[in-house]
């Protein structure tokens, strides 16, 4: 997995988080598969098409916090992740 300080897409802008579709009990195989980039300041009440219940690993950048909810529309239980 990338380190929180290394979260930058190919164009070099800063990312707040990256969610990955594949995970593994072996650290070297984590953070693989499709990825979903989260920009700083994003407020997305619904997951993009095809991502609902699909994210299995994530990395949150430094000075960022990612809050997720168990139900769509920011409903249900929430959980916060940070670097």
């Amino acid at each position: 997995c990338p380190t929180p300080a290394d979260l930058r897409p190919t164009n070099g802008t800063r990312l707040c988080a990256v969610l990955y579709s594949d995970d593994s009990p072996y650290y070297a195989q984590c953070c693989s598969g499709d990825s979903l980039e989260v920009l700083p300041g994003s407020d997305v009440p619904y997951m993009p098409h095809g991502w609902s219940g699909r994210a299995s690993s994530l990395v949150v950048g430094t000075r960022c916090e990612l809050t997720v909810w168990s139900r769509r529309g920011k409903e249900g239980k929430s959980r916060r992740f940070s670097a």
Side-chain angles (χ1 to χ4, degrees):
C1 294
T3 66
D6 290 336
L7 287 187
R8 295 188 187 284
T10 54
N11 69 3
T13 60
R14 185 173 170 283
L15 291 174
C16 191
V18 179
L19 287 71
Y20 297 92
S21 63
D22 295 337
D23 191 15
S24 171
Y26 303 103
Y27 186 77
Q29 297 173 11
C30 286
C31 302
S32 60
D34 294 330
S35 62
L36 177 63
E37 298 176 345
V38 180
L39 297 173
S42 295
D43 183 11
V44 183
Y46 299 94
M47 290 295 283
H49 180 71
W51 275 93
S52 181
R54 188 169 172 214
S56 62
S57 58
L58 60 92
V59 176
V60 178
T62 55
R63 298 177 304 188
C64 278
E65 185 173 82
L66 177 70
T67 304
V68 297
W69 286 266
S70 62
R71 297 179 171 253
R72 62 184 168 163
K74 297 183 179 180
E75 304 237 348
K77 295 181 180 182
S78 66
R79 180 155 183 201
R80 293 178 184 215
F81 297 91
S82 62

